[in-house]
C-alpha cells in the first residue's frame, strides 16, 4: 500500500535537473546483463515462449529506451547474417527491457538459440549490438525420453540402514563430437559422474518438488568431458523422496525404491547422433555411503569406496544388473529455480573444551551445510561429527532442540595418508561442531564450514549508523540463505525443515529485497498449485509431506501473496497468469468455509503464531481472535484477486471479487469493529491487520491507529506473532506514529528484534526468547535458532528508513518512490537494490547541521523523490541552490520527479 505521504504533493519540475546535468558530455550507453527466464545462458529450459531481459548501462541522465531490436540465430556466427536469423523483432517502439517474450518459430527439444539486441534512446541514436547470449531447451516432449528408469536390486527400502546405490555403464565414442548433453533425474537424490568427474556443481539434484506430480530433470553440457572410452555413473541417496521426512518418522513418503534416469545425447560433426541411456545393461552395487538421511546425517566408510568405479576399464564383474522399473515420464519438468550449490567456506573461530569434556569447534556463524573434514589415521578409525546451533548456559553442547534429528556425520578412515571427507546427501543447521574420535588433536585447518543454499544472486543491502540494526540485517540475510535450500523451509536443523507456507508468505517481500528470488518462488509456487487439494485448500507445507493438512489462514494465502509480491518486485505478469487458477480456487475455498455471512470463524487456524501472549499467560489481552484474522485474510486475498484479475484481463472476475472483498469488509466492520473504531480483539496484530488490509471505514482509521499506538505504549514492546509482526511497524509509521515504530526497532530487551542480537544471535530466531537472559532455553519442542519469519522487518528497513518503495502502477521498479525517513537516533542509513533495471541507491546522512541525501536511479526508469523535512529555500541539488529566485517554490514534503542518474541533495538538519 502507498502511504498518505504520497498524496497531494507538489512536484519540482524536472526541467531544473535537466539544467544541472545538461553539461554532461560524451554520454555512453550500452546493453548488458542479458538473461533468459531470470538466468544467464540457461541450458535445459522447457518454457515455450521464454522471456528475455537486459539492463542498460548509461552515464546519460534521464535515459529512456525508446525502441529495441532483438535478433536470434542458431549459432553465434548466424547473428551477423540476416539470411541465417531464426527470428528478429525488427525495431520495436517500446521502453520494455524486462521479460520480453520470444515470439519466433516454435522451439524444439535440445535447440540452442543465440540472441543479442540493440536499443535506441529518445535521441534516436542506436547503441552497438550487445554481446551475444544464449538459451537452450531441454526435452520438451515426453516422447523425447528414450531412457528407462533403473533401480538397484539390492536397494532395500525397509532396512534401517540403507546404503546408497552406485550405478554405472561404459561406452565408446568413435567420431568427432560436436556437442553432448546429458539429461538426468532420479527418484531420490543423485550425483552424476562421467570419466571420473562429478558432472556439474549442483547439489541435492533433482531438487525437492511435489514428486507425485512434478519431478525435475537437469541438463548438462558434457562435451568437454567425453573421450574415446567413457564411463558414466551415479550415486543415489534417499533425500526427501524416501528418506525420513516430516513428522512421526515418515519414511518412503513418495516411494520405496530409488531410481535413476539418464539420457546422454551425443551429436557428431557428421550430423549423426548417438544416445546412451539408462537401461538393463547398466550395473549396480553399493559403496562407502552406508546410510544418508537429511535429518540424521551420513555414515561413510572409506574402506568400502570402489576406487575408479566412475572410470572406464573398471572391473564391475561383481556388480549386479540393474532392475528396470515402470515410472511415468509425464511428471518430468525442467528446473525453473536456481540450483543448490556450495556457496561459501567458513573457518572455525574457536576450539572449545566444554565442561563435559567435549571438543567443540565454533564456526562463528549459525550456518547451513556441512563440514569438510581433513584427517589422517589408521584404517577403521572412526571420526564422528555432531552439529548444534547453541551451547547451553554452562557452555556444553546442546542438541535437545533438534528433537529426533541425529544430525551426525560419521567418517571411517581407509588409512591412506590425508583423507578429505564431505557428505553428499545430507545437510545440517549449526554453529557448533562436536568432534569425537579424531586421531590426535584436531586443528582449525582440519575443519572447514561449507555453506550451501540455492544459488540466489544478492540484490539488496541495508546499513545504518546503529551496529545492532546492521547485525539484525545480516542475521536476516543469513536466515534467508540457510532456509532457501530449493524450497523455503521454516528451519534447517531439526526433524522438520519443511516448506511452511505461512513463513514464506510473510517474508516474501523482504526476500525480494535481499536476493533475486523471482525464479526461486516461480518454481516453488508451481508446487503450491500442484499440492493444492481439489476443493481449493492449500496445504500448510509445500511440498506436502503432512498428508493434506492445510487451509490455515495466513498460511494458505501464500497462493496469492507471493505471486503478487513477485509481480510487484519483478514486473512478472506471467506468474499471475500461471498461478491464477490456484489463487481463485483458494479464495473460493474461503468463501465456502465462511458461509453466507462472509465471516470465517469456525475452522482451526494457527492464528498469530507464537505471539507474545501465547507463551505468556499473564497477557491474555494480547491474544488475537482467529476468526478476526481469518476474515481479514479472506478480505485481503479477495482484494488481491480482484486486482490481479484486472491486470491479466479477466474483467468479470475482477468485478466479482472486487465486490466480494467489499462485502467481506462490511461484514468485518459489523462483526469486529465498534462505532468508536475499537476492535473486539484489542491487540497490536488485530489493528495492524485492519489498517494494512483496508478493513476500516475511512473516518475510523485515525482512531484505530491511535488504539494501536496506545497499545504499543501500554506494553512498551511488541506483542505480535508471525502474522502481526510483518505489519506492525508499517502500520504505525503509515499513520504518523513513526517514533513508536523506531522505538520497537531500537528496543534491546525481550521481546524485540534486537534482543536476540544482544544475546549473540547470528540468524533470526523462531521465538522472541529462544534463549533467555539467564542462558536457559524456551520449549525444546519448538525452539529453532534459524527461522526467518520475524526477519520480515527487513522490508520496513528498506521501504521506510531507506525509503525505496514500489509503485504498483509501474511494477518491477519501472517507476518507484524514494521517500526516506530519519528518526530513531540514526544519523545515517543506506540501501542499495539491484532492480530488474539496475542499481537503485537511497542514502541519507546527517553531518553536523546538514542533511545529505544521495540517490541513484537506473537507466530506463524514473522515480518520485520525497525529501524528509526539506521544504526550505536552502535546499541544494548537486551543489546548486534551489529557491524562489530560481522560480521554483517548494512547499512542505518536497516532491521531485526524476529520471535516471545520480543526485545529491543537501539541506539544513533538523528542519
Amino acid at each position: 500500500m502507498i502511504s498518505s505521504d504520497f498524496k497531494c504533493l507538489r512536484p519540482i519540475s524536472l526541467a531544473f535537473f535537466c539544467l544541472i546535468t545538461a553539461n554532461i558530455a560524451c554520454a555512453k550507453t550500452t546493453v548488458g546483463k542479458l538473461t533468459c527466464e531470470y538466468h544467464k545462458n540457461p541450458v535445459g529450459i522447457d518454457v515455450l515462449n521464454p522471456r528475455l531481459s537486459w539492463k542498460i548501462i548509461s552515464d546519460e541522465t534521464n535515459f529512456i529506451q525508446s525502441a529495441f531490436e532483438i535478433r536470434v540465430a542458431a549459432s553465434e556466427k548466424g547473428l551477423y547474417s540476416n539470411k541465417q536469423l531464426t527470428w528478429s523483432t525488427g525495431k520495436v517502439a517500446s521502453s520494455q527491457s524486462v521479460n520480453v517474450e520470444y515470439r519466433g518459430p516454435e522451439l524444439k527439444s535440445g535447440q540452442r538459440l543465440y540472441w543479442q539486441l540493440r536499443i535506441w534512446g529518445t535521441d534516436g541514436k542506436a547503441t552497438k549490438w550487445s554481446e551475444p547470449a544464449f538459451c537452450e531447451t531441454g526435452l520438451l516432449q515426453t516422447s523425447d525420453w528414450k531412457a528407462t528408469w533403473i533401480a538397484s536390486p539390492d536397494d532395500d527400502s525397509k532396512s534401517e540402514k540403507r546404503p546408497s546405490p552406485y550405478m554405472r555403464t561404459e561406452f565408446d565414442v568413435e567420431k568427432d563430437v560436436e556437442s553432448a548433453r546429458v539429461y538426468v533425474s532420479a527418484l531420490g537424490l543423485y550425483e552424476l559422474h562421467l570419466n571420473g568427474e562429478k558432472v556439474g556443481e549442483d547439489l541435492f539434484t533433482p531438487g525437492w518438488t511435489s514428486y507425485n506430480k512434478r519431478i525435475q530433470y537437469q541438463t548438462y553440457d558434457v562435451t568437454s568431458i567425453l573421450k574415446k572410452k567413457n564411463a558414466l555413473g551415479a550415486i543415489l541417496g534417499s533425500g526427501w523422496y524416501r528418506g525420513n521426512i516430516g513428522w512421526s518418522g515418515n519414511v518412503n513418503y513418495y516411494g520405496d525404491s530409488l531410481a535413476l534416469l539418464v539420457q546422454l545425447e551425443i551429436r557428431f560433426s557428421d550430423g549423426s547422433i548417438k544416445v546412451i541411456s539408462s537401461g538393463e545393461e547398466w550395473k549396480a552395487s553399493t559403496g562407502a555411503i552406508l546410510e544418508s538421511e537429511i535429518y540424521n546425517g551420513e555414515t561413510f566408510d572409506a574402506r568400502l569406496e570402489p576406487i575408479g568405479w566412475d572410470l572406464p576399464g573398471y572391473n564391475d564383474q561383481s556388480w549386479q544388473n540393474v532392475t528396470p522399473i515402470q515410472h511415468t515420464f509425464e511428471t518430468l519438468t525442467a528446473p525453473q529455480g536456481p540450483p543448490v550449490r556450495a556457496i561459501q567456506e567458513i573457518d572455525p573461530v574457536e576450539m572449545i573444551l566444554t565442561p563435559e569434556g567435549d571438543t567443540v569447534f565454533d564456526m562463528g556463524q549459525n550456518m547451513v551445510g556441512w563440514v569438510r573434514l581433513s584427517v589422517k589415521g589408521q584404517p577403521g578409525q572412526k571420526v564422528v561429527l555432531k552439529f548444534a546451533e547453541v551451547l547451553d548456559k554452562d557452555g556444553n553442547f546442546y542438541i535437545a532442540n533438534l528433537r529426533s534429528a541425529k544430525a551426525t556425520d560419521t567418517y571411517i578412515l581407509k588409512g591412506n595418508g590425508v583423507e578429505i571427507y564431505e557428505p553428499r546427501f545430507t545437510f545440517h543447521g549449526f554453529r557448533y561442531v562436536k568432534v569425537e574420535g579424531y586421531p590426535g588433536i584436531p586443528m582449525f585447518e582440519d575443519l572447514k564450514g561449507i555453506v550451501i543454499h540455492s544459488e540466489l544472486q544478492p540484490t539488496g543491502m541495508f546499513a545504518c549508523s546503529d551496529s545492532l540494526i546492521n547485525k539484525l540485517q545480516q542475521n536476516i540475510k543469513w536466515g534467508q540463505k540457510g532456509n532457501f535450500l530449493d524450497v523455503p523451509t521454516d528451519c534447517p536443523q531439526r526433524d522438520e525443515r519443511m516448506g511452511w507456507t505461512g513463513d514464506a508468505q510473510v517474508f516474501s517481500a523482504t526476500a525480494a529485497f535481499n536476493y533475486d528470488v523471482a525464479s526461486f518462488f516461480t518454481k516453488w509456487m508451481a508446487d503450491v498449485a500442484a499440492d493444492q487439494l481439489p476443493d481449493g485448500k492449500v496445504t500448510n507445507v509445500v511440498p506436502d509431506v503432512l498428508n493434506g493438512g492445510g487451509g490455515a489462514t495466513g498460511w494458505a494465502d501464500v497462493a496469492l501473496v507471493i505471486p503478487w509480491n513477485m509481480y510487484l518486485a519483478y514486473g512478472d505478469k506471467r506468474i499471475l497468469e500461471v498461478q491464477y487458477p490456484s489463487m481463485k480456487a483458494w479464495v473460493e475455498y474461503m468463501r465456502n468455509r465462511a458461509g453466507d455471512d462472509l465471516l470465517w470463524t469456525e475452522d482451526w487456524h494457527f492464528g498469530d503464531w507464537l505471539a507474545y501472549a501465547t507463551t505468556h499467560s499473564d497477557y491474555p489481552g494480547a491474544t488475537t481472535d482467529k476468526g478476526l484474522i481469518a476474515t481479514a485474510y479472506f478480505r485481503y486475498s479477495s482484494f488481491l484477486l480482484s486486482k490481479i484479475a484486472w491486470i491479466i484481463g479477466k474483467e468479470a472476475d475482477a468485478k466479482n471479487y472486487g465486490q466480494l472483498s467489499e462485502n467481506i469488509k462490511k461484514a468485518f466492520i459489523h462483526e469486529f469493529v465498534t462505532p468508536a473504531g475499537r476492535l473486539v480483539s484489542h491487540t497490536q496484530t488485530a489493528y495492524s491487520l485492519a489498517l494494512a488490509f483496508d478493513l476500516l471505514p475511512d473516518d475510523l482509521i485515525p482512531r484505530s491507529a491511535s488504539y494501536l499506538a496506545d497499545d504499543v505504549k501500554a506494553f512498551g514492546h511488541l506483542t505480535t506473532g508471525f502474522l502481526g509482526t510483518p505489519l506492525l511497524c508499517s502500520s504505525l509509521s503509515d499513520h504518523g506514529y513513526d517514533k513508536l515504530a523506531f522505538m520497537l526497532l531500537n528496543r534491546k530487551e525481550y521481546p524485540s528484534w534486537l534482543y536476540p542480537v544482544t544475546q549473540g544471535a547470528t540468524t533470526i530466531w523462531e521465538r522472541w526468547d529462544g534463549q533467555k537472559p539467564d542462558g536457559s532455553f524456551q520449549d525444546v519442542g519448538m525452539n529453532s535458532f534459524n527461522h526467518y519469519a520475524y526477519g520480515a522487518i527487513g522490508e520496513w528497513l528498506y521501504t521506510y528508513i531507506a525509503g525505496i518503495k514500489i509503485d504498483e502502477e509501474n511494477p518491477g521498479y519501472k517507476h518507484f518512490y524514494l521517500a526516506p525517513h530519519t528518526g530513531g537516533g540514526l544519523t545515517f542509513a543506506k540501501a542499495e537494490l539491484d532492480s530488474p533495471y539496475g542499481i537503485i541507491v537511497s542514502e541519507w546522512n546527517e553531518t553536523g547541521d546538514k542533511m545529505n541525501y544521495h540517490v541513484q536511479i537506473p537507466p530506463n526508469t524514473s522515480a518520485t523523490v520525497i525529501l524528509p523535512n526539506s521544504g526550505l529555500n536552502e535546499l541544494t541539488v548537486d551543489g546548486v541552490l534551489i529557491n524562489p529566485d530560481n522560480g521554483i517554490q517548494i512547499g512542505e514534503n518536497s516532491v521531485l520527479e526524476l529520471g535516471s542518474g545520480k543526485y545529491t541533495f543537501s539541506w539544513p538538519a533538523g528542519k
Side-chain angles (χ1 to χ4, degrees):
M1 296 176 62
I2 300 298
S3 76
S4 57
D5 289 349
F6 295 91
K7 298 177 181 177
C8 302
L9 301 177
R10 181 186 304 167
I12 295 177
S13 170
L14 180 62
F16 179 80
F17 298 98
C18 293
L19 292 174
I20 294 175
T21 58
N23 293 325
I24 295 178
C26 303
K28 184 179 179 181
T29 300
T30 59
V31 182
K33 298 184 178 180
L34 279 61
T35 59
C36 174
E37 290 299 319
Y38 299 108
H39 298 286
K40 180 181 178 181
N41 297 336
V43 175
I45 64 173
D46 62 3
V47 180
L48 299 181
N49 293 105
R51 295 166 299 172
L52 310 176
S53 301
W54 56 91
K55 290 184 179 180
I56 300 166
I57 301 93
S58 179
D59 53 13
E60 179 181 341
T61 303
N62 303 321
F63 183 88
I64 293 293
Q65 171 189 298
S66 64
F68 67 81
E69 181 179 6
I70 299 171
R71 60 188 185 190
V72 179
S75 67
E76 188 171 335
K77 184 178 179 180
L79 290 171
Y80 304 99
S81 170
N82 288 336
K83 294 182 179 179
Q84 296 183 47
L85 291 181
T86 302
W87 177 62
S88 173
T89 62
K91 184 177 180 180
V92 179
S94 171
S95 67
Q96 184 179 1
S97 57
V98 175
N99 289 334
V100 175
E101 284 195 6
Y102 167 81
R103 292 293 186 184
E106 183 177 352
L107 298 180
K108 301 176 182 179
S109 293
Q111 181 179 358
R112 174 170 287 198
L113 296 177
Y114 289 86
W115 67 285
Q116 63 180 172
L117 75 146
R118 60 179 175 175
I119 64 169
W120 286 260
T122 53
D123 60 1
K125 296 180 180 178
T127 65
K128 294 181 180 179
W129 287 96
S130 70
E131 291 296 317
F134 66 80
C135 59
E136 181 176 313
T137 58
L139 301 181
L140 302 180
Q141 306 294 330
T142 301
S143 58
D144 293 326
W145 286 97
K146 310 302 180 187
T148 300
W149 290 96
I150 57 174
S152 170
D154 288 337
D155 186 27
D156 184 1
S157 65
K158 298 179 180 178
S159 173
E160 182 178 350
K161 295 184 177 181
R162 300 182 282 191
S164 286
Y166 287 51
M167 299 181 180
R168 71 183 307 276
T169 193
E170 295 191 17
F171 61 95
D172 294 336
V173 172
E174 305 86 358
K175 295 184 285 187
D176 291 336
V177 176
E178 180 178 290
S179 67
R181 301 290 183 269
V182 62
Y183 308 96
V184 56
S185 187
L187 306 180
L189 301 177
Y190 74 83
E191 182 178 282
L192 188 69
H193 288 237
L194 177 60
N195 293 336
E197 296 183 29
K198 179 181 181 296
V199 175
E201 300 176 6
D202 304 349
L203 303 171
F204 294 92
T205 48
W208 191 10
T209 51
S210 303
Y211 290 132
N212 295 332
K213 305 176 183 79
R214 288 170 20 93
I215 298 178
Q216 296 182 139
Y217 69 90
Q218 281 71 37
T219 304
Y220 297 105
D221 183 346
V222 293
T223 309
S224 63
I225 308 177
L226 287 180
K227 302 175 181 180
K228 289 185 177 180
K229 292 189 175 295
N230 302 272
L232 179 64
I235 308 172
L236 303 184
S238 294
W240 300 283
Y241 184 80
R242 73 161 192 190
N244 189 344
I245 195 71
W247 294 322
S248 304
N250 276 345
V251 292
N252 305 333
Y253 189 85
Y254 292 101
D256 296 333
S257 297
L258 301 182
L260 177 69
L261 182 72
V262 179
Q263 184 163 308
L264 171 60
E265 297 188 2
I266 306 170
R267 296 178 182 272
F268 297 107
S269 299
D270 63 6
S272 61
I273 298 175
K274 183 174 185 176
V275 178
I276 308 297
S277 58
S278 51
E280 59 186 10
E281 72 279 4
W282 282 53
K283 295 290 192 71
S285 185
T286 56
I289 304 176
L290 301 184
E291 57 179 329
S292 188
E293 294 278 351
I294 287 176
Y295 292 166
N296 296 332
E298 182 172 291
T299 298
F300 189 97
D301 189 341
R303 299 170 300 177
L304 302 179
E305 183 69 355
I307 304 301
W309 71 274
D310 55 358
L311 291 171
Y314 175 77
N315 184 356
D316 60 9
Q317 292 300 309
S318 63
W319 289 38
Q320 295 182 286
N321 292 327
V322 297
T323 302
I325 67 169
Q326 295 296 317
H327 192 83
T328 183
F329 296 97
E330 296 290 340
T331 56
L332 289 169
T333 184
Q336 292 173 292
V340 176
R341 289 183 173 169
I343 305 296
Q344 183 179 352
E345 297 186 357
I346 294 181
D347 293 319
V349 298
E350 185 179 7
M351 184 171 71
I352 303 166
L353 184 64
T354 71
E356 293 180 347
D358 295 324
T359 299
V360 174
F361 283 84
D362 178 6
M363 305 307 296
Q365 172 65 52
N366 196 2
M367 55 172 280
V368 175
W370 53 69
V371 161
R372 180 193 298 143
L373 176 68
S374 177
V375 60
K376 182 178 181 180
Q378 298 300 313
Q381 285 186 297
K382 182 186 297 184
V383 180
V384 178
L385 305 176
K386 297 185 177 181
F387 300 87
E389 293 186 290
V390 292
L391 302 179
D392 69 17
K393 63 181 180 180
D394 297 320
N396 290 311
F397 198 69
Y398 179 82
I399 57 173
N401 70 317
L402 304 187
R403 300 190 302 218
S404 68
K406 295 178 182 178
T408 300
D409 291 339
T410 301
Y411 181 73
I412 302 170
L413 279 71
K414 61 184 175 182
N416 184 17
V418 176
E419 302 176 39
I420 307 297
Y421 165 69
E422 293 183 50
R424 286 180 169 89
F425 302 127
T426 189
F427 64 89
H428 311 287
F430 66 98
R431 173 173 173 171
Y432 298 95
V433 186
K434 182 165 71 170
V435 182
E436 298 176 342
Y438 193 92
I441 300 174
M443 307 302 288
F444 279 68
E445 58 268 25
D446 296 325
L447 280 79
K448 181 80 72 172
I450 308 300
V451 178
I452 68 167
H453 55 81
S454 289
E455 193 177 37
L456 307 170
Q457 296 303 311
T459 53
M461 67 79 64
F462 174 88
C464 67
S465 55
D466 189 307
S467 61
L468 293 180
I469 296 174
N470 292 340
K471 183 59 176 174
L472 170 66
Q473 168 64 7
Q474 293 174 23
N475 292 357
I476 293 170
K477 296 186 78 170
W478 270 101
Q480 180 174 350
K481 288 193 297 185
N483 281 292
F484 277 39
L485 198 155
D486 207 45
V487 304
T489 60
D490 59 327
C491 61
Q493 74 295 91
R494 67 189 182 211
D495 57 349
E496 192 166 353
R497 314 185 202 188
M498 294 183 283
W500 282 95
T501 50
D503 303 50
Q505 182 265 120
V506 299
F507 186 74
S508 58
T510 296
F513 276 108
N514 291 331
Y515 293 92
D516 183 346
V517 293
S519 64
F520 177 87
F521 276 127
T522 297
K523 175 260 183 187
W524 188 64
M525 289 307 302
D527 290 305
V528 171
D531 275 339
Q532 193 168 10
L533 302 185
D535 63 357
K537 180 192 291 183
V538 175
T539 56
N540 293 331
V541 299
V542 174
D544 176 36
V545 290
L546 298 181
N547 302 306
T553 190
W555 272 247
D557 296 276
V558 71
L560 290 102
V561 175
I562 286 186
W564 177 247
N565 283 340
M566 296 306 100
Y567 168 73
L568 294 180
Y570 304 104
D572 190 338
K573 185 177 176 181
R574 182 177 288 176
I575 194 172
L576 302 182
E577 296 168 338
V578 171
Q579 296 297 136
Y580 188 79
S582 170
M583 302 179 198
K584 186 173 179 179
W586 169 241
V587 171
E588 288 301 325
Y589 175 88
M590 289 190 285
R591 194 205 299 252
N592 291 333
R593 301 305 301 167
D596 293 339
D597 62 3
L598 299 179
L599 299 172
W600 193 11
T601 58
E602 298 298 325
D603 294 335
W604 184 91
H605 301 284
F606 293 106
D608 193 26
W609 189 246
L610 294 184
Y612 180 75
T614 62
T615 53
H616 290 75
S617 58
D618 294 338
Y619 296 94
T623 301
T624 306
D625 180 84
K626 293 181 181 180
L628 182 151
I629 296 173
T631 304
Y633 264 99
F634 182 22
R635 145 71 178 180
Y636 182 55
S637 285
S638 301
F639 177 67
L640 287 183
L641 187 60
S642 175
K643 291 205 289 188
I644 291 166
W646 279 115
I647 291 167
I648 65 175
K650 296 182 178 292
E651 185 175 338
D653 277 2
K655 293 178 179 178
N656 174 28
Y657 291 109
Q659 186 61 56
L660 174 62
S661 70
E662 285 302 307
N663 291 340
I664 300 168
K665 178 178 178 178
K666 292 175 183 178
F668 181 93
I669 293 170
H670 181 267
E671 183 74 10
F672 299 114
V673 185
T674 71
R678 184 183 178 97
L679 298 180
V680 296
S681 279
H682 188 65
T683 68
Q684 294 172 19
T685 290
Y687 287 109
S688 295
L689 287 167
L691 292 166
F693 292 175
D694 189 24
L695 282 160
L696 299 165
D698 289 346
D699 61 329
L700 292 183
I701 290 175
R703 188 71 188 115
S704 293
S706 72
Y707 279 129
L708 171 61
D710 290 345
D711 193 78
V712 172
K713 293 175 187 175
F715 278 98
H717 58 73
L718 52 76
T719 62
T720 50
F722 274 32
L723 297 183
T725 298
L727 306 174
L728 179 57
C729 282
S730 58
S731 294
L732 289 167
S733 60
D734 284 352
H735 295 90
Y737 297 101
D738 58 309
K739 291 183 179 179
L740 285 176
F742 274 113
M743 180 275 289
L744 294 176
L745 175 65
N746 285 322
R747 179 181 166 87
K748 300 174 182 63
E749 299 77 24
Y750 161 78
S752 68
W753 287 283
L754 295 185
Y755 168 74
V757 176
T758 68
Q759 298 297 301
T762 61
T763 44
I764 300 299
W765 293 354
E766 181 176 21
R767 294 176 178 267
W768 294 117
D769 60 341
Q771 179 174 303
K772 299 179 181 179
D774 65 359
S776 61
F777 297 116
Q778 253 285 0
D779 179 8
V780 298
M782 191 166 56
N783 196 25
S784 162
F785 291 94
N786 193 350
H787 223 92
Y788 58 73
Y790 285 144
I793 184 62
E795 180 188 11
W796 192 75
L797 302 181
Y798 282 103
T799 61
Y800 189 78
I801 297 179
I804 301 175
K805 284 199 171 187
I806 291 169
D807 176 3
E808 284 189 14
E809 300 301 317
N810 297 275
Y813 298 95
K814 179 65 172 171
H815 173 270
F816 53 95
Y817 297 95
L818 293 172
H821 293 84
T822 59
L826 300 179
T827 59
F828 157 80
K830 177 181 181 180
E832 290 186 5
L833 177 65
D834 191 358
S835 77
Y837 297 90
I839 301 292
I840 298 170
V841 176
S842 178
E843 177 182 1
W844 60 263
N845 65 79
E846 185 174 348
T847 56
D849 60 353
K850 182 182 290 187
M851 285 295 301
N852 301 296
Y853 182 44
H854 173 69
V855 305
Q856 180 175 328
I857 302 167
N860 207 30
T861 71
S862 61
T864 299
V865 179
I866 302 175
L867 302 179
N869 305 316
S870 64
L872 306 166
N873 294 338
E874 298 144 285
L875 173 67
T876 64
V877 183
D878 296 336
V880 179
L881 181 68
I882 301 178
N883 59 38
D885 294 336
N886 299 108
I888 300 175
Q889 300 293 327
I890 306 174
E892 187 177 356
N893 292 324
S894 302
V895 182
L896 305 92
E897 300 292 346
L898 300 181
S900 64
K902 299 178 181 179
Y903 309 88
T904 299
F905 306 91
S906 299
W907 62 90
K911 296 185 180 181

